[in-house]
Amino acid sequence: MEQPQSLVLMKQRAEAVQTVVSEVRNMREAFDYCVELAKKEGLQSIAAPGLGKNASALGTICKKNGLNFLTKNLREHIGRIGTGFTVANWGIAETATLVIDSGSEDLRIATMLGEIHVAALPRSRIVADAAALEEELTRMMKTTPSYLSFISGASRTADIERVLTIGVHGPQQLHMLIMEEELL
Amino acid sequence: MIKTPHDLQTYRKDLKGALRNQFLGKTLDTFATAYPTSRANAFAGIDFDTLACEIAKGKDESIPKLESLLEEFTAHAREAGAVVHFARTAFEANSIIASIAGENGVKKIVKGKSMTAEETFLNAHLEREGYEVTETDLGEWIIQLRGEGPSHMVLPAIHLSRKDVADLFTKVTGEPRDPDDINGMVKVARRELRRKFIEADMGISGANFAIASSGTIGLVTNEGNGRLVTTMPRVHVALVGVDKLVPNLRSALRILTALPRNATGQVISTYVTWITGATECKTADNGRKQMHIVFLDNGRLALSKDPLFSQALRCIRCGACANVCPIYKLVGGHNYGHVYIGAIGLVMTYFYHGRENARAIVKNCLNCQSCRKVCPAGIDLPGLIKEVHGTILKVEGKKPIRNVLLQKVLPNRRLFHSLLRQARIAQKPVADGGFIRHLPMLFSGNHGFRRLPAIARVPLRDMWDRINPRVDNPKYRVALFGGCLVDFVYPEQAAALLRIARKRAVQFEYPLGQTCCGLPAQMMGEKQTARAVAVQNLSALDPADFDYIVTLCASCGSHLKENYSRLLKGEGALAVKVAQLEAKVIDFSSFATRVLGVAPEEFQRAGQKVAYHAPCHLCRGMGVSREPRELLDTAGLQYVRSGDEEVCCGFGGSFSIDFPEISAELLRRKLDNAEATGAGVLVTDCPGCVLQLRGGMERRGGRMQVKHIAEVVAEQRKS
Ligand code: SF4
Ligand code: SF4
């Protein structure tokens, strides 16, 4: 199947900001990816607040693989968060941006204070540019209080001699899993 | 503590010191070289000029309505649970923030990067009140630990080497650090600052946007510290200049398209955070954060009402006006601004941090137009810099002697020209090979770095009738606007123009009532004088009498085309005449290629290799860059591109008198680049640049010739 233009652009732009892009069929594959990655990187836990009814499935896989599964009160676990797993609301191809409703404190902690951030993004939720989301975002901002995040790549700095260095405050890796199926 | 010199002598001493700093020179040079490419890549597929126009237009619509936008914002933010404050002054803002801390029993504060907080010296205030304040942006943290101010608005620690940082971190952590392990040093910051995030009771951020229609603030960061500052502590205070208010998300997104691209050549910054109201915070009393937004006026509302200076509020703080400034590149931000850095810093220092701090630095501008061209908000930065400069001179009433002379002499053309003629006689005993050390009236001071030209034996106006034949039935009539340098120093450049146009049925005229274009007066902050000579030139050259008005001087050309309309704005019929004049003014290269339509057959083939210097006032001022290169090619010359071809040569008129060291350094780099091409001639199309480049080439004993483009093209003609 030919890939729509915005998907091609998304992948290309993501690469430019060191975001690792993979395609998965469904949540189940996304969970497997997340768990395999955590094991490969030697991490002990996965934090996934806000997964709703999907949480138990991920919890089961974590358990099977000997990983701690965290879903709430993440402040208490700071320093012990390996991977933060989230589902993005939107993707913006032009800038390889994940748009994530981050109203929940736990979600913010999971996406900022873990070593790795893995975000699943349903393919149907990719738009060409931010302008295409203007109405939607305005609506989200007006549903208050609201904390909306654009995340485009892993945390970075160039403050020492302009040398690009990844992972200053936030995650050291960002993985974007483009998902074929809609969320169930 | 930031110390900005209050007088020119001290400032020059600081500048000399900066010029000797090899690390700074090298690092800023690498940055200046890399920046245009990454910027261009980031803007691929976007028309920058259109975007800049839209941003300017949007800002110009909101600036007069800041107060009502503020009301709208406040209503929405309050509804969402935020507390909105308004601070008229920096001190008020700092006090409000300190009392928020006090009321909430705060001890430790973490801060995200905020130029506005730098503006109010918030840290110093809070520390005096006993709070522990930690900057969390890596660059800001570094300079905080060193007790310095930022040297760039986006890259605050760009003036420091890895070794400086390693030494600092060794001191802070007590463990030795390897300067080449930058990743390791970044991890030190990660570890140390993470602890601070967790312990802090209050987070202070700035904001890049304040969206009125929803009461949302927008924060743009790369490191992610913005998200942590606004998430971890139970109290969040955002300090926001009222100029950051935009009506809606659309305006914010438009600015966001330009900001990271123009700042660092990224299509977007890693984290863009939009916060509306008091969001969840589990350590706060009711599970919701104490969210305060402090809007800062500090002179912004006054600025917003000024017809000219209100445009300064369009600034989106991208820092690009420093990135491209040839002076910033030589001396760094600590010598090129007070708190705000770069071209916008020279302007804002006067309004936010006072005349004393602005007095010396505001003189340090070449009027090269680079900043203006790169500004995503279309601010006429060089114009505003000159306005501030002129205002300071006026209110202080302590004008340099040359301003007083200029004011007396320039408006009186006869006096001015007779002084130039006398200067020729006076220079005689010291003239050597066409060069003298002093050129009274036009220039002063002793400049070892370049030789100054002698005044011509016969000025152009005296030889005009002899060299300019009358033409029967001319196809069109063209006035030549000479300008001081062509008239009195380089009449041969005009003669070359006439040779090129020969047998083309063009009647040239040199209206004798014309005088200096007035740019030197404007550059020295003498607007009244500039206006007076503009009127004189306009009466000498009635645009109705000519089809074209040609200049061989890019500086005169861009001044006529752009500044006259400002100088004579609102003066009825004269203002209309100016608009008509503008339409007819044309630079030499465009005239030769597009009007005369010179063709390859007229020229000898296999001409020599030439390098080209693009005058600031031509490539940026008049927006002409293709024509001169095309003309060189048509004339059979082999044009070879040199490095930094469009960077200023360092002349800048009276600039080189106030800042000879900077002028000399820019000239040295320019000549090095030209010589590296291996060409025999360095061509340019402005007599001011010829003066600077030829003088420098002579002084260094270089083998390249320096010529005006009219001269090399005339020489190539088949006889
Ligand atoms: S005009 Fe040139 S010298 Fe002056 S501030 Fe702008 S870039 Fe710098
Ligand atoms: S003045 Fe223009 S170029 Fe300079 S920082 Fe502001 S927006 Fe950027």
Side-chain angles (χ1 to χ4, degrees):
Chain A
M1 196 182 82
E2 205 187 319
Q3 298 192 336
Q5 221 179 351
S6 47
L7 183 61
V8 178
L9 185 64
M10 174 69 107
K11 288 185 186 164
Q12 184 196 333
R13 288 287 159 93
E15 213 168 280
V17 290
Q18 295 85 30
T19 299
V20 184
V21 182
S22 298
E23 287 183 73
V24 294
R25 259 189 315 212
N26 47 32
M27 278 299 252
R28 171 75 212 199
E29 278 189 23
F31 293 159
D32 287 340
Y33 180 103
C34 190
V35 168
E36 283 311 311
L37 179 68
K39 280 179 15 197
K40 190 178 108 206
E41 297 287 335
L43 302 172
Q44 312 295 323
S45 67
I46 291 179
L51 266 191
K53 62 181 181 345
N54 284 312
S56 62
L58 179 54
T60 315
I61 311 173
C62 283
K63 201 162 168 202
K64 223 187 287 164
N65 287 276
L67 295 170
N68 280 328
F69 180 55
L70 311 167
T71 54
K72 53 178 194 279
N73 299 331
L74 292 186
R75 253 182 214 266
E76 291 159 23
H77 300 281
I78 291 174
R80 295 189 298 275
I81 303 172
T83 301
F85 180 86
T86 55
V87 181
N89 299 64
W90 299 96
I92 302 171
E94 192 201 16
T95 48
T97 298
L98 295 160
V99 180
I100 302 179
D101 179 346
S102 308
S104 134
E105 174 185 294
D106 282 327
L107 187 135
R108 273 178 265 152
I109 292 175
T111 53
M112 280 311 287
L113 296 177
E115 293 302 301
I116 297 178
H117 176 196
V118 179
L121 170 67
R123 198 160 73 182
S124 60
R125 298 235 134 200
I126 299 178
V127 298
D129 51 28
L133 286 180
E134 197 188 305
E135 266 176 48
E136 188 62 33
L137 296 175
T138 303
R139 203 183 50 70
M140 288 166 88
M141 285 174 183
K142 287 187 174 170
T143 314
T144 60
S146 153
Y147 195 117
L148 203 60
S149 299
F150 285 10
I151 301 179
S152 320
S155 160
R156 65 197 52 224
T157 184
D159 274 347
I160 303 179
E161 284 197 16
R162 290 181 46 253
V163 177
L164 176 68
T165 314
I166 304 288
V168 52
H169 294 300
Q172 328 230 23
Q173 296 177 26
L174 175 66
H175 294 251
M176 185 192 292
L177 307 181
I178 299 176
M179 213 160 50
E180 208 172 286
E181 283 175 20
E182 284 294 319
L183 290 180
L184 292 177
Chain B
M1 258 313 282
I2 301 179
K3 271 195 75 150
T4 300
H6 292 180
D7 64 88
L8 197 60
Q9 281 66 37
T10 319
Y11 186 34
R12 267 182 68 183
K13 224 182 280 151
D14 289 358
L15 293 173
K16 274 190 229 167
L19 286 171
R20 278 194 300 268
N21 180 340
Q22 288 190 359
F23 168 78
L24 188 71
K26 208 173 118 252
T27 201
L28 295 178
D29 199 39
T30 326
F31 177 43
T33 312
Y35 171 74
T37 317
S38 51
R39 175 177 181 267
N41 289 340
F43 275 110
I46 295 175
D47 182 46
F48 175 76
D49 293 333
T50 310
L51 179 63
C53 270
E54 283 170 6
I55 291 176
K57 195 167 149 267
K59 282 277 190 181
D60 285 351
E61 278 163 20
S62 2
I63 289 167
K65 314 189 285 209
L66 288 177
E67 279 128 322
S68 65
L69 290 175
L70 179 60
E71 260 174 54
E72 193 186 344
F73 181 97
T74 306
H76 290 293
R78 280 196 181 137
E79 224 167 88
V83 186
V84 181
H85 311 255
F86 180 76
R88 275 171 310 169
T89 64
F91 179 74
E92 255 182 47
N94 294 345
S95 311
I96 291 171
I97 297 173
S99 51
I100 297 171
E103 283 157 22
N104 287 285
V106 166
K107 290 200 176 61
K108 297 184 176 182
I109 299 173
V110 279
K111 251 185 95 241
K113 190 168 158 358
S114 158
M115 280 309 294
T116 313
E118 298 282 348
E119 174 187 328
T120 66
F121 300 107
L122 176 61
N123 288 4
H125 185 104
L126 292 173
E127 279 163 5
R128 267 197 307 273
E129 305 247 324
Y131 299 103
E132 180 200 294
V133 186
T134 309
E135 291 286 349
T136 60
D137 171 85
L138 176 56
E140 288 281 337
W141 189 51
I142 292 171
I143 59 170
Q144 183 191 30
L145 291 171
R146 286 175 57 100
E148 289 177 330
S151 76
H152 189 282
M153 298 201 293
V154 178
L155 303 158
I158 191 172
H159 59 290
L160 298 173
S161 69
R162 57 187 76 194
K163 186 162 173 310
D164 296 328
V165 180
D167 290 349
L168 179 72
F169 282 12
T170 303
K171 242 197 291 170
V172 171
T173 62
E175 300 159 25
R177 304 263 32 132
D178 171 9
D180 286 322
D181 181 15
I182 289 180
N183 191 41
M185 291 196 274
V186 169
K187 293 302 174 292
V188 169
R190 183 181 173 92
R191 193 183 65 218
E192 296 288 318
L193 292 172
R194 190 157 284 195
R195 204 161 44 79
K196 300 284 180 188
F197 283 122
I198 295 169
E199 290 169 358
D201 316 290
M202 176 160 135
I204 299 177
S205 73
N208 297 85
F209 316 102
I211 302 176
S213 70
S214 54
T216 304
I217 60 162
L219 283 173
V220 181
T221 77
N222 270 316
E223 299 183 357
N225 58 324
R227 286 187 92 208
L228 289 171
V229 161
T230 56
T231 295
M232 302 306 294
R234 59 194 156 85
V235 185
H236 171 203
V237 180
L239 175 60
V240 190
V242 286
D243 53 313
K244 295 289 162 54
L245 281 159
V246 291
N248 47 36
L249 177 65
R250 174 175 300 181
S251 325
L253 290 177
R254 189 166 52 212
I255 294 169
L256 186 61
T257 310
L259 178 59
R261 288 180 166 92
N262 221 44
T264 49
Q266 291 173 278
V267 291
I268 195 163
S269 302
T270 310
Y271 299 101
V272 182
T273 303
W274 310 95
I275 304 172
T276 319
T279 49
E280 185 183 42
C281 179
K282 291 187 176 159
T283 48
D285 287 345
N286 56 358
R288 276 177 80 178
K289 193 177 287 279
Q290 276 272 339
M291 162 71 160
H292 296 262
I293 302 165
V294 181
F295 278 100
L296 176 68
D297 175 357
N298 205 24
R300 287 165 173 81
L301 291 176
L303 272 171
S304 75
K305 295 184 175 77
D306 184 85
L308 182 70
F309 281 103
S310 57
Q311 61 177 307
L313 296 178
R314 293 182 198 153
C315 175
I316 64 169
R317 307 271 184 269
C318 70
C321 53
N323 300 356
V324 298
C325 175
I327 302 175
Y328 169 82
K329 175 169 123 174
L330 293 183
V331 302
H334 284 155
N335 296 297
Y336 210 59
H338 181 64
V339 169
Y340 290 104
I341 307 289
I344 191 71
L346 301 193
V347 177
M348 287 325 213
T349 298
Y350 178 58
F351 294 109
Y352 295 161
H353 298 110
R355 196 178 73 234
E356 298 262 337
N357 288 314
R359 185 186 295 129
I361 57 175
V362 78
K363 294 185 176 162
N364 197 1
C365 168
L366 289 152
N367 191 28
C368 78
Q369 307 282 325
S370 303
C371 48
R372 183 180 181 187
K373 182 125 193 261
V374 84
C375 176
I379 305 172
D380 175 13
L381 294 154
L384 297 187
I385 291 169
K386 283 298 155 231
E387 283 290 334
V388 171
H389 180 192
T391 308
I392 294 179
L393 285 178
K394 198 150 85 191
V395 299
E396 296 197 329
K398 278 183 290 193
K399 291 198 174 177
I401 188 84
R402 68 167 186 273
N403 283 53
V404 180
L405 284 173
L406 182 107
Q407 220 177 353
K408 281 215 165 55
V409 172
L410 206 58
N412 183 341
R413 183 185 66 78
R414 279 172 208 286
L415 174 62
F416 175 50
H417 285 171
S418 82
L419 283 170
L420 282 173
R421 287 169 199 271
Q422 281 168 30
R424 194 190 80 76
I425 299 166
Q427 86 197 355
K428 234 180 202 158
V430 287
D432 64 283
F435 285 86
I436 56 157
R437 293 168 68 80
H438 296 267
L439 196 102
M441 292 319 302
L442 266 185
F443 313 101
S444 61
N446 185 1
H447 298 156
F449 69 93
R450 70 167 175 225
R451 297 166 90 184
L452 292 175
I455 296 225
R457 203 168 49 80
V458 184
L460 178 63
R461 53 182 59 240
D462 292 0
M463 66 169 77
W464 181 256
D465 283 340
R466 189 160 46 79
I467 61 172
N468 179 46
R470 302 312 301 176
V471 175
D472 300 327
N473 305 320
K475 275 195 295 193
Y476 39 88
R477 284 161 62 84
V478 177
L480 173 63
F481 184 82
C484 308
L485 283 176
V486 170
D487 201 342
F488 285 90
V489 180
Y490 301 122
E492 63 274 17
Q493 297 173 0
L497 162 69
L498 295 177
R499 280 208 301 285
I500 294 164
R502 203 176 288 159
K503 299 205 191 107
R504 287 193 124 86
V506 183
Q507 182 64 63
F508 283 92
E509 304 288 356
Y510 195 77
L512 292 176
Q514 65 175 289
T515 183
C516 172
C517 69
L519 180 62
Q522 177 134 334
M523 278 294 290
M524 284 156 72
E526 295 296 339
K527 222 164 114 183
Q528 273 319 310
T529 307
R531 197 196 148 275
V533 292
V535 173
Q536 285 176 34
N537 284 322
L538 208 53
S539 33
L541 280 111
D542 188 333
D545 296 343
F546 307 101
D547 299 294
Y548 295 97
I549 297 162
V550 178
T551 71
L552 289 151
C553 175
S555 299
C556 298
S558 70
H559 185 60
L560 293 176
K561 246 179 142 55
E562 201 171 33
N563 294 331
Y564 272 30
S565 59
R566 289 190 208 148
L567 288 165
L568 300 174
K569 196 169 165 188
E571 305 218 11
L574 270 188
V576 178
K577 276 283 172 200
V578 169
Q580 293 172 329
L581 179 89
E582 273 170 20
K584 291 186 175 175
V585 170
I586 185 168
D587 66 285
F588 165 76
S589 294
S590 304
F591 180 73
T593 49
R594 291 202 273 107
V595 182
L596 294 179
V598 292
E601 307 82 75
E602 297 168 54
F603 300 96
Q604 304 164 45
R605 291 293 92 193
Q608 58 180 330
K609 252 164 80 171
V610 297
Y612 177 67
H613 161 65
C616 302
H617 293 153
L618 191 72
C619 67
R620 287 176 290 274
M622 300 180 84
V624 175
S625 53
R626 223 187 46 229
E627 288 79 358
R629 285 143 175 132
E630 218 175 275
L631 178 60
L632 291 173
D633 190 50
T634 308
L637 293 156
Q638 290 177 58
Y639 154 62
V640 264
R641 202 171 164 86
S642 49
D644 286 352
E645 209 165 84
E646 306 205 324
V647 174
C648 184
C649 66
F651 179 52
S654 57
F655 175 87
S656 53
I657 302 167
D658 281 336
F659 300 101
E661 294 83 9
I662 290 184
S663 182
E665 181 58 20
L666 288 170
L667 177 58
R668 182 184 71 75
R669 293 180 181 212
K670 182 55 69 173
L671 296 177
D672 286 350
N673 276 321
E675 286 184 339
T677 62
V681 188
L682 172 56
V683 178
T684 187
D685 26 19
C686 181
C689 303
V690 169
L691 183 152
Q692 171 89 340
L693 298 170
R694 195 182 281 171
M697 197 59 92
E698 284 275 327
R699 177 57 70 203
R700 66 154 64 180
R703 41 151 213 96
M704 274 183 110
Q705 288 183 300
V706 177
K707 288 191 174 162
H708 192 284
I709 191 166
E711 297 175 277
V712 284
V713 171
E715 284 163 17
Q716 275 294 104
R717 278 170 58 88
K718 289 180 183 158
S719 44

